[in-house]
CSV table of all heavy atoms in Angstrom, one decimal:
chain,number,residue,atom,x,y,z
A,1,CYS,N,-135.5,140.6,11.8
A,1,CYS,CA,-136.1,140.0,13.0
A,1,CYS,C,-135.8,140.8,14.2
A,1,CYS,O,-134.7,141.4,14.4
A,1,CYS,CB,-135.5,138.6,13.3
A,1,CYS,SG,-136.3,137.7,14.7
A,2,PHE,N,-136.8,140.9,15.1
A,2,PHE,CA,-136.6,141.7,16.3
A,2,PHE,C,-135.7,141.0,17.3
A,2,PHE,O,-135.1,141.7,18.2
A,2,PHE,CB,-137.9,142.0,17.0
A,2,PHE,CG,-138.5,140.9,17.7
A,2,PHE,CD1,-138.3,140.6,19.1
A,2,PHE,CD2,-139.4,139.9,17.1
A,2,PHE,CE1,-138.8,139.5,19.7
A,2,PHE,CE2,-139.9,138.8,17.7
A,2,PHE,CZ,-139.6,138.6,19.0
A,3,GLN,N,-135.4,139.7,17.2
A,3,GLN,CA,-134.6,139.0,18.1
A,3,GLN,C,-133.1,139.3,17.7
A,3,GLN,O,-132.7,139.3,16.6
A,3,GLN,CB,-134.8,137.5,18.1
A,3,GLN,CG,-136.3,137.2,18.5
A,3,GLN,CD,-136.4,135.7,18.6
A,3,GLN,OE1,-136.2,135.1,19.7
A,3,GLN,NE2,-136.9,135.0,17.5
A,4,LYS,N,-132.3,139.5,18.7
A,4,LYS,CA,-130.9,139.8,18.5
A,4,LYS,C,-130.0,138.6,18.9
A,4,LYS,O,-129.9,138.2,20.1
A,4,LYS,CB,-130.5,141.0,19.3
A,4,LYS,CG,-131.3,142.2,19.0
A,4,LYS,CD,-131.3,142.6,17.5
A,4,LYS,CE,-132.2,143.8,17.3
A,4,LYS,NZ,-132.3,144.1,15.8
A,5,ASP,N,-129.4,137.9,17.9
A,5,ASP,CA,-128.6,136.8,18.2
A,5,ASP,C,-127.6,136.7,17.0
A,5,ASP,O,-127.2,137.7,16.4
A,5,ASP,CB,-129.4,135.5,18.4
A,5,ASP,CG,-130.3,135.2,17.3
A,5,ASP,OD1,-130.2,135.9,16.2
A,5,ASP,OD2,-131.3,134.4,17.5
A,6,ASP,N,-127.2,135.5,16.6
A,6,ASP,CA,-126.1,135.3,15.6
A,6,ASP,C,-126.6,135.0,14.2
A,6,ASP,O,-125.8,134.7,13.3
A,6,ASP,CB,-125.2,134.2,16.0
A,6,ASP,CG,-124.3,134.5,17.3
A,6,ASP,OD1,-124.1,135.7,17.5
A,6,ASP,OD2,-123.9,133.6,17.9
A,7,VAL,N,-127.9,135.1,14.0
A,7,VAL,CA,-128.5,134.8,12.6
A,7,VAL,C,-127.8,135.8,11.6
A,7,VAL,O,-127.4,135.3,10.5
A,7,VAL,CB,-130.0,134.9,12.6
A,7,VAL,CG1,-130.5,134.8,11.2
A,7,VAL,CG2,-130.6,133.8,13.4
A,8,VAL,N,-127.8,137.0,11.9
A,8,VAL,CA,-127.2,138.0,10.9
A,8,VAL,C,-125.8,137.7,10.7
A,8,VAL,O,-125.3,137.8,9.6
A,8,VAL,CB,-127.5,139.4,11.4
A,8,VAL,CG1,-126.7,140.4,10.5
A,8,VAL,CG2,-128.9,139.8,11.4
A,9,LYS,N,-125.1,137.3,11.7
A,9,LYS,CA,-123.6,137.0,11.6
A,9,LYS,C,-123.4,135.8,10.6
A,9,LYS,O,-122.6,135.9,9.8
A,9,LYS,CB,-123.1,136.7,13.0
A,9,LYS,CG,-121.6,136.3,13.0
A,9,LYS,CD,-121.2,135.9,14.5
A,9,LYS,CE,-119.8,135.4,14.5
A,9,LYS,NZ,-119.4,135.1,15.9
A,10,LEU,N,-124.3,134.8,10.8
A,10,LEU,CA,-124.1,133.7,9.9
A,10,LEU,C,-124.6,134.0,8.5
A,10,LEU,O,-123.9,133.6,7.5
A,10,LEU,CB,-125.0,132.5,10.4
A,10,LEU,CG,-125.0,131.2,9.6
A,10,LEU,CD1,-123.5,130.7,9.3
A,10,LEU,CD2,-125.7,130.1,10.4
A,11,MET,N,-125.6,134.8,8.3
A,11,MET,CA,-126.0,135.2,7.0
A,11,MET,C,-125.0,136.1,6.3
A,11,MET,O,-124.9,136.1,5.1
A,11,MET,CB,-127.4,135.9,7.1
A,11,MET,CG,-128.5,135.0,7.4
A,11,MET,SD,-128.7,133.6,6.2
A,11,MET,CE,-129.4,134.5,4.8
A,12,GLU,N,-124.2,136.8,7.1
A,12,GLU,CA,-123.2,137.6,6.5
A,12,GLU,C,-122.1,136.7,5.8
A,12,GLU,O,-121.5,137.0,4.8
A,12,GLU,CB,-122.5,138.5,7.5
A,12,GLU,CG,-123.4,139.7,7.9
A,12,GLU,CD,-122.8,140.5,9.0
A,12,GLU,OE1,-121.8,140.0,9.7
A,12,GLU,OE2,-123.3,141.6,9.3
A,13,ILE,N,-121.9,135.5,6.4
A,13,ILE,CA,-121.0,134.5,5.9
A,13,ILE,C,-121.6,133.9,4.6
A,13,ILE,O,-120.9,133.7,3.6
A,13,ILE,CB,-120.6,133.4,6.9
A,13,ILE,CG1,-120.0,134.1,8.1
A,13,ILE,CG2,-119.6,132.5,6.2
A,13,ILE,CD1,-119.8,133.1,9.2
A,14,TYR,N,-122.9,133.7,4.6
A,14,TYR,CA,-123.6,133.2,3.4
A,14,TYR,C,-123.4,134.3,2.3
A,14,TYR,O,-123.2,134.0,1.1
A,14,TYR,CB,-125.1,133.0,3.6
A,14,TYR,CG,-125.5,131.6,4.1
A,14,TYR,CD1,-125.1,131.2,5.4
A,14,TYR,CD2,-126.2,130.8,3.3
A,14,TYR,CE1,-125.4,129.9,5.8
A,14,TYR,CE2,-126.5,129.5,3.7
A,14,TYR,CZ,-126.2,129.1,5.0
A,14,TYR,OH,-126.5,127.8,5.4
A,15,ASP,N,-123.6,135.5,2.6
A,15,ASP,CA,-123.5,136.6,1.7
A,15,ASP,C,-122.1,136.7,1.1
A,15,ASP,O,-121.8,137.1,-0.1
A,15,ASP,CB,-123.9,137.9,2.3
A,15,ASP,CG,-124.3,139.0,1.2
A,15,ASP,OD1,-124.9,138.6,0.2
A,15,ASP,OD2,-124.1,140.2,1.5
A,16,TRP,N,-121.1,136.4,1.9
A,16,TRP,CA,-119.6,136.5,1.5
A,16,TRP,C,-119.3,135.4,0.5
A,16,TRP,O,-118.5,135.6,-0.4
A,16,TRP,CB,-118.8,136.2,2.8
A,16,TRP,CG,-117.3,135.9,2.5
A,16,TRP,CD1,-116.3,136.7,2.3
A,16,TRP,CD2,-116.8,134.5,2.4
A,16,TRP,NE1,-115.1,136.0,2.1
A,16,TRP,CE2,-115.4,134.7,2.1
A,16,TRP,CE3,-117.3,133.3,2.5
A,16,TRP,CZ2,-114.6,133.6,2.0
A,16,TRP,CZ3,-116.5,132.2,2.4
A,16,TRP,CH2,-115.1,132.4,2.1
A,17,ALA,N,-120.0,134.2,0.6
A,17,ALA,CA,-119.6,133.1,-0.2
A,17,ALA,C,-120.2,133.2,-1.6
A,17,ALA,O,-121.3,133.7,-1.9
A,17,ALA,CB,-120.1,131.8,0.4
A,18,ASP,N,-119.4,132.6,-2.6
A,18,ASP,CA,-119.9,132.4,-3.9
A,18,ASP,C,-120.7,131.1,-4.0
A,18,ASP,O,-121.6,130.9,-4.8
A,18,ASP,CB,-118.8,132.4,-4.9
A,18,ASP,CG,-118.0,133.7,-4.9
A,18,ASP,OD1,-118.7,134.8,-5.1
A,18,ASP,OD2,-116.8,133.7,-4.9
A,19,LYS,N,-120.2,130.1,-3.3
A,19,LYS,CA,-120.7,128.7,-3.3
A,19,LYS,C,-120.9,128.3,-1.8
A,19,LYS,O,-120.1,128.6,-0.9
A,19,LYS,CB,-119.8,127.7,-4.0
A,19,LYS,CG,-119.6,128.0,-5.5
A,19,LYS,CD,-118.8,127.0,-6.1
A,19,LYS,CE,-118.6,127.3,-7.7
A,19,LYS,NZ,-117.8,126.2,-8.3
A,20,ILE,N,-122.1,127.7,-1.5
A,20,ILE,CA,-122.4,127.1,-0.2
A,20,ILE,C,-122.5,125.6,-0.3
A,20,ILE,O,-123.3,125.1,-1.2
A,20,ILE,CB,-123.6,127.8,0.3
A,20,ILE,CG1,-123.5,129.3,0.6
A,20,ILE,CG2,-124.0,127.1,1.6
A,20,ILE,CD1,-124.1,130.1,-0.5
A,21,VAL,N,-121.8,124.9,0.5
A,21,VAL,CA,-122.0,123.4,0.6
A,21,VAL,C,-122.5,123.1,2.0
A,21,VAL,O,-121.9,123.4,3.0
A,21,VAL,CB,-120.6,122.7,0.4
A,21,VAL,CG1,-120.8,121.2,0.4
A,21,VAL,CG2,-119.9,123.2,-0.9
A,22,SER,N,-123.7,122.6,2.1
A,22,SER,CA,-124.4,122.2,3.3
A,22,SER,C,-124.2,120.7,3.5
A,22,SER,O,-124.5,119.9,2.6
A,22,SER,CB,-125.9,122.5,3.2
A,22,SER,OG,-126.1,123.9,3.0
A,23,VAL,N,-123.7,120.3,4.6
A,23,VAL,CA,-123.4,118.9,4.9
A,23,VAL,C,-124.3,118.5,6.1
A,23,VAL,O,-124.2,119.1,7.2
A,23,VAL,CB,-122.0,118.6,5.3
A,23,VAL,CG1,-121.8,117.1,5.4
A,23,VAL,CG2,-121.1,119.1,4.2
A,24,SER,N,-125.3,117.6,5.9
A,24,SER,CA,-126.3,117.4,6.9
A,24,SER,C,-126.5,115.9,7.2
A,24,SER,O,-126.6,115.1,6.2
A,24,SER,CB,-127.6,118.0,6.5
A,24,SER,OG,-128.6,117.6,7.5
A,25,PRO,N,-126.5,115.4,8.4
A,25,PRO,CA,-126.9,114.1,8.8
A,25,PRO,C,-128.4,114.0,8.8
A,25,PRO,O,-129.1,115.0,8.7
A,25,PRO,CB,-126.3,113.9,10.1
A,25,PRO,CG,-126.4,115.3,10.8
A,25,PRO,CD,-126.2,116.2,9.6
A,26,SER,N,-128.9,112.8,9.0
A,26,SER,CA,-130.3,112.5,9.2
A,26,SER,C,-130.7,112.5,10.6
A,26,SER,O,-130.1,111.7,11.4
A,26,SER,CB,-130.7,111.2,8.5
A,26,SER,OG,-132.0,110.9,8.9
A,27,TYR,N,-131.6,113.4,11.1
A,27,TYR,CA,-132.1,113.3,12.4
A,27,TYR,C,-133.6,112.9,12.2
A,27,TYR,O,-134.4,113.8,11.8
A,27,TYR,CB,-132.0,114.7,13.1
A,27,TYR,CG,-130.6,114.9,13.7
A,27,TYR,CD1,-129.5,114.3,13.3
A,27,TYR,CD2,-130.5,115.7,14.8
A,27,TYR,CE1,-128.2,114.5,13.8
A,27,TYR,CE2,-129.3,116.0,15.4
A,27,TYR,CZ,-128.1,115.4,14.9
A,27,TYR,OH,-126.9,115.6,15.5
A,28,TRP,N,-134.0,111.7,12.5
A,28,TRP,CA,-135.4,111.3,12.2
A,28,TRP,C,-135.8,111.6,10.8
A,28,TRP,O,-136.9,112.2,10.6
A,28,TRP,CB,-136.3,111.9,13.3
A,28,TRP,CG,-136.2,111.2,14.6
A,28,TRP,CD1,-135.3,111.6,15.6
A,28,TRP,CD2,-136.8,110.0,15.0
A,28,TRP,NE1,-135.4,110.7,16.7
A,28,TRP,CE2,-136.4,109.7,16.3
A,28,TRP,CE3,-137.8,109.1,14.4
A,28,TRP,CZ2,-136.8,108.6,17.1
A,28,TRP,CZ3,-138.2,108.0,15.2
A,28,TRP,CH2,-137.7,107.8,16.4
A,29,ALA,N,-135.0,111.3,9.8
A,29,ALA,CA,-135.3,111.3,8.4
A,29,ALA,C,-135.4,112.8,7.9
A,29,ALA,O,-136.0,113.0,6.9
A,29,ALA,CB,-136.6,110.6,8.1
A,30,ASP,N,-134.7,113.7,8.6
A,30,ASP,CA,-134.7,115.1,8.1
A,30,ASP,C,-133.5,115.8,8.6
A,30,ASP,O,-132.7,115.2,9.3
A,30,ASP,CB,-136.0,115.8,8.4
A,30,ASP,CG,-136.4,116.8,7.3
A,30,ASP,OD1,-135.6,117.5,6.8
A,30,ASP,OD2,-137.7,116.9,7.1
A,31,ILE,N,-133.4,117.1,8.4
A,31,ILE,CA,-132.3,117.9,8.8
A,31,ILE,C,-132.3,118.0,10.4
A,31,ILE,O,-133.4,117.9,11.0
A,31,ILE,CB,-132.3,119.3,8.2
A,31,ILE,CG1,-133.6,120.0,8.5
A,31,ILE,CG2,-132.0,119.2,6.7
A,31,ILE,CD1,-133.7,121.4,7.9
A,32,PRO,N,-131.2,118.2,11.0
A,32,PRO,CA,-131.2,118.4,12.4
A,32,PRO,C,-132.0,119.6,12.9
A,32,PRO,O,-132.1,120.6,12.2
A,32,PRO,CB,-129.6,118.7,12.8
A,32,PRO,CG,-128.9,118.0,11.7
A,32,PRO,CD,-129.8,118.2,10.4
A,33,GLY,N,-132.6,119.5,14.1
A,33,GLY,CA,-133.4,120.6,14.6
A,33,GLY,C,-132.7,122.0,14.7
A,33,GLY,O,-133.3,123.0,14.4
A,34,GLN,N,-131.4,122.0,15.0
A,34,GLN,CA,-130.7,123.2,15.1
A,34,GLN,C,-130.6,123.9,13.8
A,34,GLN,O,-130.7,125.2,13.7
A,34,GLN,CB,-129.3,123.0,15.7
A,34,GLN,CG,-129.2,122.5,17.1
A,34,GLN,CD,-129.4,121.0,17.2
A,34,GLN,OE1,-129.8,120.3,16.3
A,34,GLN,NE2,-129.0,120.5,18.4
A,35,PHE,N,-130.4,123.2,12.7
A,35,PHE,CA,-130.4,123.8,11.4
A,35,PHE,C,-131.8,124.2,11.0
A,35,PHE,O,-131.9,125.3,10.3
A,35,PHE,CB,-129.8,122.8,10.4
A,35,PHE,CG,-129.4,123.5,9.1
A,35,PHE,CD1,-128.4,124.4,9.1
A,35,PHE,CD2,-130.0,123.2,7.9
A,35,PHE,CE1,-128.0,125.1,7.9
A,35,PHE,CE2,-129.7,123.9,6.7
A,35,PHE,CZ,-128.7,124.8,6.7
A,36,LYS,N,-132.8,123.5,11.3
A,36,LYS,CA,-134.2,123.9,11.0
A,36,LYS,C,-134.5,125.2,11.7
A,36,LYS,O,-135.2,126.1,11.1
A,36,LYS,CB,-135.2,122.8,11.4
A,36,LYS,CG,-136.7,123.1,11.1
A,36,LYS,CD,-136.9,123.4,9.7
A,36,LYS,CE,-138.4,123.4,9.4
A,36,LYS,NZ,-139.1,124.5,10.0
A,37,VAL,N,-134.1,125.4,13.0
A,37,VAL,CA,-134.3,126.6,13.6
A,37,VAL,C,-133.7,127.8,12.9
A,37,VAL,O,-134.3,128.9,12.7
A,37,VAL,CB,-133.8,126.6,15.1
A,37,VAL,CG1,-133.8,127.9,15.7
A,37,VAL,CG2,-134.6,125.6,15.9
A,38,PHE,N,-132.5,127.6,12.4
A,38,PHE,CA,-131.8,128.6,11.6
A,38,PHE,C,-132.6,128.9,10.3
A,38,PHE,O,-132.8,130.1,10.0
A,38,PHE,CB,-130.4,128.2,11.2
A,38,PHE,CG,-129.7,129.0,10.1
A,38,PHE,CD1,-129.5,130.3,10.3
A,38,PHE,CD2,-129.4,128.4,8.9
A,38,PHE,CE1,-128.9,131.1,9.3
A,38,PHE,CE2,-128.8,129.1,7.9
A,38,PHE,CZ,-128.5,130.5,8.1
A,39,ILE,N,-133.1,127.9,9.6
A,39,ILE,CA,-133.9,128.1,8.4
A,39,ILE,C,-135.1,129.0,8.7
A,39,ILE,O,-135.5,129.9,8.0
A,39,ILE,CB,-134.3,126.8,7.7
A,39,ILE,CG1,-133.0,126.2,7.1
A,39,ILE,CG2,-135.3,127.0,6.7
A,39,ILE,CD1,-133.3,124.8,6.5
A,40,ASP,N,-135.8,128.6,9.8
A,40,ASP,CA,-137.0,129.4,10.2
A,40,ASP,C,-136.7,130.8,10.5
A,40,ASP,O,-137.5,131.7,10.1
A,40,ASP,CB,-137.6,128.8,11.5
A,40,ASP,CG,-138.2,127.4,11.3
A,40,ASP,OD1,-138.5,127.0,10.1
A,40,ASP,OD2,-138.5,126.7,12.3
A,41,ARG,N,-135.5,131.1,11.0
A,41,ARG,CA,-135.1,132.5,11.4
A,41,ARG,C,-134.6,133.2,10.1
A,41,ARG,O,-134.4,134.4,10.2
A,41,ARG,CB,-134.0,132.4,12.4
A,41,ARG,CG,-134.6,132.1,13.8
A,41,ARG,CD,-135.5,133.2,14.4
A,41,ARG,NE,-134.8,134.4,14.3
A,41,ARG,CZ,-133.8,134.8,15.1
A,41,ARG,NH1,-133.3,134.0,16.0
A,41,ARG,NH2,-133.2,136.0,15.0
A,42,CYS,N,-134.5,132.5,9.0
A,42,CYS,CA,-134.1,133.2,7.8
A,42,CYS,C,-135.3,133.8,7.0
A,42,CYS,O,-135.2,134.3,5.9
A,42,CYS,CB,-133.3,132.2,6.9
A,42,CYS,SG,-131.7,131.9,7.4
A,43,THR,N,-136.5,133.8,7.6
A,43,THR,CA,-137.7,134.3,7.0
A,43,THR,C,-137.5,135.7,6.5
A,43,THR,O,-138.1,136.1,5.5
A,43,THR,CB,-138.9,134.2,7.9
A,43,THR,OG1,-139.1,132.8,8.3
A,43,THR,CG2,-140.2,134.7,7.3
A,44,PRO,N,-136.7,136.6,7.2
A,44,PRO,CA,-136.5,138.0,6.7
A,44,PRO,C,-135.9,138.0,5.3
A,44,PRO,O,-136.1,138.9,4.5
A,44,PRO,CB,-135.6,138.6,7.7
A,44,PRO,CG,-135.9,137.9,9.0
A,44,PRO,CD,-136.2,136.5,8.6
A,45,TRP,N,-135.2,136.9,4.9
A,45,TRP,CA,-134.5,136.8,3.6
A,45,TRP,C,-135.4,136.0,2.6
A,45,TRP,O,-135.0,135.9,1.4
A,45,TRP,CB,-133.2,136.2,3.7
A,45,TRP,CG,-132.1,137.0,4.4
A,45,TRP,CD1,-131.2,137.8,3.8
A,45,TRP,CD2,-131.9,137.1,5.8
A,45,TRP,NE1,-130.4,138.4,4.7
A,45,TRP,CE2,-130.8,138.0,6.0
A,45,TRP,CE3,-132.5,136.6,6.9
A,45,TRP,CZ2,-130.3,138.4,7.2
A,45,TRP,CZ3,-132.0,136.9,8.2
A,45,TRP,CH2,-130.9,137.8,8.3
């Protein structure tokens, strides 16, 4: 991505892990918007 922020930093932690446990509440019957923004920004992967 041409945008420079913390997405790569977080994805480096994903890459470090053998197992990932995602804990999510319901925001209007789906994942929180902040996490959805992160998922959208993972399009390079």
